[in-house]
Amino acid sequence: MRTKNIHRIFFVITILAMLVTACAPKETAQPTSASTAPTAAPPAKEVPPVAEPIKLSMICRCVVGGTNANTANWILDYVIPEFEAEMKAQGKDVTVELVQFGGSDEELKARYALDLKAGSGNDLMAFDGFWTPEFAEGGLIKPLETIVGASYADWEGWSHISSGVQQLLSYQGQHYGVPTGTDARVIWYRKDLFEQAGIPTDWQPKSWDDILATARTIKEKLPGVTPLQLNAGTAMGEATTMQGWYMAFLGTGNNVYDFATNKFPVSGQAFLDTLNFYKTIYVDEGLGDARTQLLTDGRDRSFLSFRDGTTAMLVEGDWFWRSVIAPGGSAGMDQRNDLVNWAMMPAMTPGKGINGQDYVTVSGGTGFILNPNTKYTAESWGLMTLMYSKDSLDYFQTLQPGIKSRDDVAIPNDPILTAMAKTMLPLTTTRPSDPAYSENISPALQLMTERVVSGEMTPEQALEAFTTAMTAAIGADKVEEAK
Amino acid sequence: MEQRRPILTLKTGTFFLSPAIFFVILFLIVPFVWIIVVSFTNQSLTGATALNPEFVGLQNYLDLFNFDTWLTRGNFGSSMIITLEFVIGSAWIGQVVLGMGLAIAFYRRKGALREFVNTLVILCWIIPDVVVAFSWSAYLDRDYGTLNAILNLIGLGRPDWQLAFPLFAIILFNSWRGAAFSMLLFSSALATIPPSYLETAEVAGASFWQKQRDIILPLLRGHILTDMVLITLWTFNTFSPFLLTGGGPAFKTEVISIFTYRIAFKFFDFGMGGAIAVVAMVINFALALVYLLMLRKQAVYS
Amino acid sequence: MKRYRKRISSVLYYVFAVLAIAFFGLPLLWLILTPFNSRASLAVEIPTAPTLDNFRAVFQNKFAVQALTQNNLIIAIGTMLGVTLIASLAAYALSRARIPGRNAMAYTLMLFSSVVTGTAAMVPIFLIIMGMGLIDQHLGVILVLIGGNLPTAIFMMRDFVDDIPASYEESAMISGASPFQIFKDVALPQVRPGMMVVAVWSFVNAWGAFLIPFILLRSSDKLPASTAIYSFYTEAGTPNILLVSAYALLYTLPVVVFYLLVNWKYGFRFFGGIKR
């Protein structure tokens, strides 16, 4: 009896095992795209015969109904159908697949690095601009000129994208991809809370002290409300460097990278001023909630807290306005337009900001790069140029208005965003095009703020640790004292 | 269980073993050799050393054991200490004690209550990591979490688990998660103790604790050792706390596996990542060796 | 006296059981209740008006549904079959053949397995699977998961095999059965409970696996639930709590059902208790 049973089990197991093996595609199966092409693929630049059906794939951190849903919808509803139709008109049978990646940015970055290293990956890859130097230096991505040939420069779009924005996906003067858009960072605040605290709702601070004074008023008048959020800590990753450290540090007259000497400042009074600003906010006076800086989901918590009216001021990019608190966003506010306003981030004192500015901001941007391993260079580049045509970006604007890379694409129906772009973009700075930035400096800056905000170290101790670590990591000849 | 003539000849035995050997070589030994080799280079995935990695000798190891800074949070020494606390707290104390307690409490008991608790404990063990992480994040939340709701009710306030006691939180979490294995192991072990032993002791008027100390513990020594070594290995290498804390805040829960992950996959520093893995392996090896020696010693005594 | 002691012991037993239920059950309450709520919260709230809307919304996500109904099953069943079969064969060999250094071998394997499941080996494993042309295929994930789970499975199986008497096999051998026949017809039926334990254990591990599918799979329509769940995150990286909890519950049910089935049919326990 028992034996019989086990026989049956064994039989079923064997059949299932055979099924599993049979169902799994064979190694020799036709690679659908570059993503499954083994390293020993035929010469990369070979032009396939016209009749052969071509399959392209693109990947972004976007999921219909989830993360960056608007980007996914733009690609699926406009870019792909338009491109496939265009190719058909030329007599080519091209299909494009969108790989919707649901993980985090850092996970996507790790996957890209592995894929590119292995000589595979999707033909078009959504890319954060500041990854470019690190990947280019590592030989993982190649300039458009190398992949497409000199003709890449003939695309009409380049003349509509300012050189500053082109820089977002460039390294050492070479283009690696096309940016979708750019952004800027400001202070967002709740008008209703300001009103309750007796602060004018057309608020514009002129110095760090102004910000602190307003925060103190709110703390005093509105118990239970966190006056201010300035990003700190390692949990938020790059958001700490961009929305936190940069926004303060630029106000001391320094950039994270000295474009004149090509060195990174790693010591000096400007660092202590910035760290003490953090210390005043989070440690000495409790004007910010250190908890939301340290927990893994702290940033989301602060967004929700802003939505719920328990955080009054928050330094964030325009993305916060157009996506996070937009009605239907992850911390959506139905009355966003009535309740929220923005102010420029002031320098430490007027005129002390970078380039002698009174107000400062910093921009980043994302876009798509062309995979150097693509088998279909011409088609991939065609897809890219169609995606960044005026019509295509105009379509994207109807889904989610933002600051797009092309100057002939306007921001529709959003006076706040339009005004912000107009005011802030002339003042903006960008991150350095040096791999040491993303590999060493940025994570170390995050760590330094975390040590101060958590009360673990004084600004002096944290700075000393930072100076020592960075001097060792990137070399004494590449670092200097801040102004 | 040594027979005079083995049922399988060495040849057939090797044949039976061959599929396992294939998998072990391909997915365990080859990667391990790769790790050892790469740990002596500065190989990275991005940046300049991606294309032209250099042999750096023992540099990665020297950096790990740089005694000036290694106890600073976020460095190797600090991570080792956190791992040690995590293993002692969640494996040796949490899982062994909890598992043993459950096994003893349910020893020779029957009924729905036993089945229910038994099933519940095992469910905690088999539910997918990702799900458990969500559930525990909610459970430990300072303001809304169930744990603090209860503590508050009995007048203990609302401790900030994730920020103030993050290591304790992951210890609690891992004890909860893994207690089932120890419970199962000890339950089976208890079942092998002849009931007559305990009955004799009861007739002789032994108390509950006397029975534990004089009968159950000595008979279970081998099982306890096995349990300890297995859960120590697993706990030492578990990556699950990452889903709960990400290693933070301020690296306070950065156990060795999370440390490796950060170095290898956030900084793409494969050389250093490899070196950490090799050191972890050596520690695992030492633990297993101690265990084997203890087993041998025990075999001599009994 | 004896009676009095017995009463105390049963009071203690109930107190202990209640504490255990609280300790193990409370963290799961949220998971069970939240999917039926209409308002997202980290607090445990008994739904005043239970709703199935969240599940409906989850079923809109094509990839997430496919992950559960197809990808997870392929990966988990494939891994389970591979691990159970290969571990049974290997454990039997280790127990019944005089292979030199077999104890040390079992331990060394355990050690290696902790490396392969660790994070550092992800790069070489990726390269190996790449070389086999199995990136973005379930088979690649299954093979790696088998490799990672085998050592522990062998370790557990060995104990079951060691505990069964060899006398039946000896008599089968005398009557001229081949080693494979002996294994299949005599030994396996006796270690069936052990195989079931290993099957459940490896199924559960593969079902919940995150890192390996994440690194080896590419297409959205091939990802298992552990990675698909992140598609219920918003742009800001915030989980949509209602959808995530609903999906998490669906994701959990199959392992629970599988365990209960096996436990009911075969009993889920280690027989002799692993002791070597």
Side-chain angles (χ1 to χ4, degrees):
Chain A
M1 181 64 198
R2 269 179 121 190
T3 325
K4 216 171 179 185
N5 260 340
I6 207 78
H7 256 297
R8 213 180 308 145
I9 290 170
F10 221 78
F11 179 71
V12 172
I13 285 177
T14 320
I15 293 296
L16 280 173
M18 281 159 71
L19 272 178
V20 168
T21 332
C23 291
K26 300 282 174 300
E27 272 180 55
T28 46
Q30 198 88 43
T32 52
S33 72
S35 66
T36 48
T39 31
K45 298 298 175 294
E46 194 182 328
V47 181
V50 178
E52 187 194 319
I54 294 174
K55 282 188 177 175
L56 297 180
S57 72
M58 49 200 301
I59 180 170
C60 65
R61 190 176 155 242
C62 60
V63 177
V64 174
T67 306
N68 291 323
N70 289 319
T71 309
N73 291 331
W74 169 49
I75 293 172
L76 288 174
D77 297 345
Y78 184 92
V79 178
I80 291 181
E82 287 284 318
F83 181 70
E84 286 176 353
E86 187 187 299
M87 288 290 106
K88 202 165 190 181
Q90 293 176 21
K92 291 185 191 169
D93 177 11
V94 181
T95 46
V96 184
E97 180 207 9
L98 173 69
V99 176
Q100 303 179 31
F101 183 82
S104 73
D105 276 327
E106 286 187 339
E107 287 162 352
L108 185 62
K109 187 184 174 195
R111 167 178 287 188
Y112 279 2
L114 284 175
D115 278 355
L116 292 166
K117 175 87 183 165
S120 69
N122 308 85
D123 300 284
L124 262 65
M125 306 165 103
F127 217 72
D128 197 324
F130 85 103
W131 297 343
T132 313
E134 211 184 309
F135 276 68
E137 190 87 0
L140 298 174
I141 56 176
K142 295 268 172 351
L144 290 174
E145 193 171 358
T146 315
I147 305 173
V148 183
S151 65
Y152 95 94
D154 302 340
W155 177 47
E156 54 83 31
W158 293 120
S159 61
H160 287 289
I161 301 176
S162 74
S163 64
V165 174
Q166 290 183 17
Q167 284 310 309
L168 291 169
L169 283 171
S170 295
Y171 178 59
Q172 294 182 342
Q174 303 261 34
H175 295 108
Y176 285 81
V178 183
T180 310
T182 184
D183 56 9
R185 281 146 187 81
V186 293
I187 310 173
W188 299 99
Y189 62 90
R190 296 272 306 214
K191 289 198 272 189
D192 53 337
L193 295 179
F194 272 45
E195 234 160 53
Q196 288 167 35
I199 305 161
T201 52
D202 56 347
W203 179 70
Q204 175 56 61
K206 303 212 161 38
S207 66
W208 289 0
D209 284 341
D210 280 0
I211 299 179
L212 294 175
T214 305
R216 287 181 192 118
T217 311
I218 292 168
K219 189 180 161 81
E220 189 196 319
K221 296 267 175 67
L222 305 174
V225 172
T226 305
L228 172 66
Q229 153 106 349
L230 180 70
N231 289 1
T234 52
M236 297 185 218
E238 190 64 12
T240 287
T241 320
M242 285 293 268
Q243 274 86 275
W245 180 264
Y246 248 109
M247 293 298 280
F249 193 59
L250 287 169
T252 66
N254 289 279
N255 195 324
V256 164
Y257 183 76
D258 187 336
F259 286 91
T261 59
N262 293 328
K263 289 180 182 185
F264 286 99
V266 295
S267 59
Q269 187 58 37
F271 278 88
L272 289 179
D273 288 341
T274 309
L275 290 173
N276 277 313
F277 185 48
Y278 270 111
K279 184 161 169 272
T280 311
I281 295 170
Y282 289 109
V283 183
D284 297 345
E285 300 192 26
L287 301 173
D289 182 4
R291 199 163 179 269
T292 56
Q293 312 305 305
L294 299 172
L295 295 180
T296 30
D297 57 350
R299 194 176 178 208
D300 312 326
R301 285 169 186 264
S302 66
F303 292 164
L304 295 177
S305 164
F306 187 87
R307 177 195 68 184
D308 299 339
T310 49
T311 291
M313 295 179 270
L314 200 143
V315 184
E316 261 296 343
D318 56 281
W319 163 81
F320 179 67
W321 168 267
R322 68 179 145 86
S323 178
V324 179
I325 56 171
S330 61
M333 298 171 65
D334 290 335
Q335 293 169 297
R336 174 191 69 168
N337 296 357
D338 301 329
L339 293 178
V340 182
N341 203 357
W342 64 280
M344 295 180 278
M345 179 76 187
M348 193 174 160
T349 52
K352 199 162 186 238
I354 184 92
N355 306 324
Q357 290 168 197
D358 296 335
Y359 303 100
V360 295
T361 191
V362 60
S363 297
T366 59
F368 275 81
I369 59 141
L370 212 54
N371 187 333
N373 309 310
T374 180
K375 282 167 68 192
Y376 306 106
T377 311
E379 287 76 14
S380 299
W381 176 240
L383 175 59
M384 181 91 103
T385 52
L386 182 136
M387 186 156 92
Y388 288 110
S389 64
K390 178 175 178 341
D391 289 348
S392 172
L393 286 182
D394 275 335
Y395 184 88
F396 196 1
Q397 291 294 60
T398 64
L399 300 173
Q400 187 194 88
I403 310 171
K404 293 291 179 283
S405 52
R406 290 179 68 118
D407 56 18
D408 52 353
V409 174
I411 307 174
N413 301 328
D414 196 330
I416 290 251
L417 210 56
T418 312
M420 209 197 88
K422 208 171 150 201
T423 321
M424 299 318 293
L425 289 185
L427 295 173
T428 201
T429 21
T430 54
R431 282 168 287 193
S433 207
D434 187 316
Y437 169 79
S438 57
E439 284 185 86
N440 305 107
I441 295 283
S442 182
L445 288 170
Q446 295 156 22
L447 177 58
M448 180 162 64
T449 58
E450 176 157 304
R451 283 172 167 163
V452 170
V453 166
S454 64
E456 189 191 345
M457 291 188 183
T458 65
E460 288 76 13
Q461 291 167 332
L463 177 59
E464 198 196 325
F466 174 81
T467 311
T468 317
M470 287 303 98
T471 311
I474 57 182
D477 56 328
K478 280 199 72 186
V479 300
E480 63 179 24
E481 197 178 321
K483 291 184 212 104
Chain B
M1 195 133 320
E2 293 291 318
Q3 314 73 38
R4 230 173 251 166
R5 196 177 137 212
I7 291 171
L8 297 180
T9 60
L10 190 57
K11 212 170 120 195
T12 331
T14 316
F15 178 71
F16 275 29
L17 263 179
S18 55
I21 291 173
F22 166 78
F23 277 95
V24 164
I25 289 180
L26 190 58
F27 294 115
L28 301 180
I29 307 217
V30 170
F32 186 62
V33 171
W34 186 90
I35 289 171
I36 292 180
V37 171
V38 88
S39 76
F40 295 105
T41 72
N42 62 2
Q43 172 85 55
S44 63
L45 194 52
T46 61
T49 46
L51 284 184
N52 304 304
E54 288 159 2
F55 180 76
V56 294
L58 288 173
Q59 194 55 48
N60 289 322
Y61 293 91
L62 293 176
D63 285 350
L64 280 185
F65 291 98
N66 176 352
F67 293 113
D68 294 338
T69 56
W70 84 319
L71 284 182
T72 314
R73 257 189 223 142
N75 287 347
F76 183 64
S78 159
S79 176
M80 288 302 303
I81 291 174
I82 291 167
T83 311
L84 188 70
E85 288 169 345
F86 180 65
V87 169
I88 293 177
S90 75
W92 298 0
I93 299 175
Q95 293 182 14
V96 173
V97 172
L98 217 53
M100 177 85 81
L102 287 162
I104 290 175
F106 295 124
Y107 176 51
R108 289 201 289 168
R109 292 211 187 243
K110 294 246 171 338
L113 185 63
R114 176 199 197 289
E115 282 309 310
F116 180 74
V117 178
N118 199 45
T119 307
L120 184 63
V121 175
I122 291 173
L123 286 191
C124 299
W125 186 46
I126 62 175
I127 291 175
D129 265 346
V130 178
V131 174
V132 165
F134 279 118
S135 213
W136 268 78
S137 300
Y139 182 60
L140 290 176
D141 189 79
R142 183 187 61 175
D143 303 320
Y144 304 103
T146 317
L147 182 59
N148 277 3
I150 292 167
L151 292 180
N152 198 37
L153 215 62
I154 55 175
L156 291 174
R158 294 179 177 275
D160 195 345
W161 298 104
Q162 287 151 299
L163 197 65
F165 313 103
L167 184 59
F168 183 75
I170 63 166
I171 286 175
L172 198 66
F173 162 76
N174 199 49
S175 308
W176 174 90
R177 180 84 166 132
F181 180 81
S182 301
M183 177 188 81
L184 284 167
L185 200 151
F186 290 136
S187 296
S188 318
L190 282 174
T192 62
I193 298 177
S196 59
Y197 285 26
L198 291 172
E199 276 154 19
T200 318
E202 265 160 40
V203 170
S207 78
F208 175 78
W209 294 113
Q210 281 169 334
K211 278 188 289 178
Q212 307 306 320
R213 196 192 60 209
D214 299 332
I215 302 175
I216 293 188
L217 274 183
L219 285 172
L220 255 53
R221 253 188 70 182
H223 298 93
I224 295 173
L225 269 175
T226 308
D227 187 56
M228 294 273 272
V229 81
L230 289 179
I231 63 175
T232 302
L233 273 180
W234 291 333
T235 308
F236 195 92
N237 294 291
T238 182
F239 190 60
S240 306
F242 182 83
L243 293 167
L244 200 57
T245 67
F251 307 113
K252 281 180 193 158
T253 57
E254 198 176 63
V255 292
I256 203 83
S257 59
I258 301 179
F259 183 62
T260 318
Y261 180 80
R262 179 163 62 95
I263 299 295
F265 279 95
K266 246 173 119 175
F267 296 143
F268 301 127
D269 189 343
F270 292 162
M272 184 67 89
I276 302 166
V278 171
V279 175
M281 184 80 188
V282 169
I283 296 171
N284 284 351
F285 198 74
L287 284 173
L289 212 64
V290 169
Y291 163 73
L292 282 175
L293 289 177
M294 280 168 85
L295 257 195
R296 184 157 297 173
K297 207 165 156 195
Q298 192 203 343
V300 172
Y301 284 145
S302 60
Chain C
M1 180 66 195
K2 202 174 172 194
R3 210 187 216 168
Y4 165 76
R5 195 184 266 175
K6 220 166 199 165
R7 192 167 298 161
I8 289 236
S9 115
S10 79
V11 166
L12 278 177
Y13 169 65
Y14 285 112
V15 170
F16 182 83
V18 167
L19 285 178
I21 290 172
F23 180 79
F24 287 97
L26 283 174
L28 294 175
L29 261 190
W30 180 86
L31 173 69
I32 297 164
L33 293 177
T34 312
F36 302 99
N37 256 311
S38 51
R39 192 179 152 273
S41 170
L42 291 177
V44 168
E45 288 172 4
I46 294 160
T48 41
T51 171
L52 291 175
D53 284 354
N54 301 317
F55 293 99
R56 262 179 225 122
V58 161
F59 282 110
Q60 303 289 313
N61 187 327
K62 189 184 95 197
F63 292 131
V65 172
Q66 201 176 356
L68 273 183
T69 55
Q70 196 178 318
N71 303 336
N72 261 67
L73 284 177
I74 295 177
I75 293 173
I77 293 179
T79 307
M80 174 186 83
L81 297 177
V83 169
T84 312
L85 260 178
I86 299 171
S88 306
L89 271 172
Y92 187 68
L94 284 178
S95 179
R96 295 295 193 254
R98 285 206 192 119
I99 291 167
R102 53 191 182 173
N103 271 327
M105 194 183 324
Y107 272 97
T108 321
L109 284 187
M110 283 290 298
L111 285 170
F112 275 116
S113 77
S114 60
V115 177
V116 82
T117 46
T119 46
M122 287 305 129
V123 177
I125 283 179
F126 174 81
L127 295 174
I128 291 169
I129 292 297
M130 186 81 212
M132 295 168 78
L134 291 178
I135 291 290
D136 202 25
Q137 295 186 22
H138 289 134
L139 185 59
V141 175
I142 292 171
L143 292 180
V144 175
L145 286 174
I146 292 177
N149 285 323
L150 255 188
T152 311
I154 295 175
F155 201 88
M156 294 202 280
M157 270 312 279
R158 211 169 63 110
D159 196 62
F160 283 99
V161 182
D162 279 350
D163 262 18
I164 57 167
S167 47
Y168 292 118
E169 295 156 54
E170 274 157 4
S171 31
M173 189 170 65
I174 290 161
S175 58
S178 78
F180 191 74
Q181 274 173 329
I182 297 177
F183 170 70
K184 191 167 63 100
D185 299 336
V186 185
L188 272 193
Q190 299 187 73
V191 293
R192 187 174 53 185
M195 287 177 78
M196 285 303 156
V197 168
V198 169
V200 169
W201 178 82
S202 55
F203 183 91
V204 162
N205 275 351
W207 188 263
F210 173 80
L211 213 52
I212 289 167
F214 169 74
I215 284 176
L216 297 182
L217 294 178
R218 288 296 171 269
S219 315
S220 329
D221 57 357
K222 288 190 179 140
L223 295 176
S226 56
T227 49
I229 198 169
Y230 289 96
S231 63
F232 294 109
Y233 273 48
T234 62
E235 186 172 357
T238 335
N240 181 330
I241 289 174
L242 289 175
L243 298 190
V244 162
S245 62
Y247 190 63
L249 194 59
L250 293 175
Y251 178 27
T252 306
L253 283 180
V255 279
V256 173
V257 170
F258 184 47
Y259 162 75
L260 290 176
L261 261 178
V262 167
N263 189 35
W264 171 61
K265 278 216 85 152
Y266 302 96
F268 187 87
R269 58 207 150 127
F270 303 143
F271 272 64
I274 302 164
K275 61 190 170 298
R276 252 164 284 251

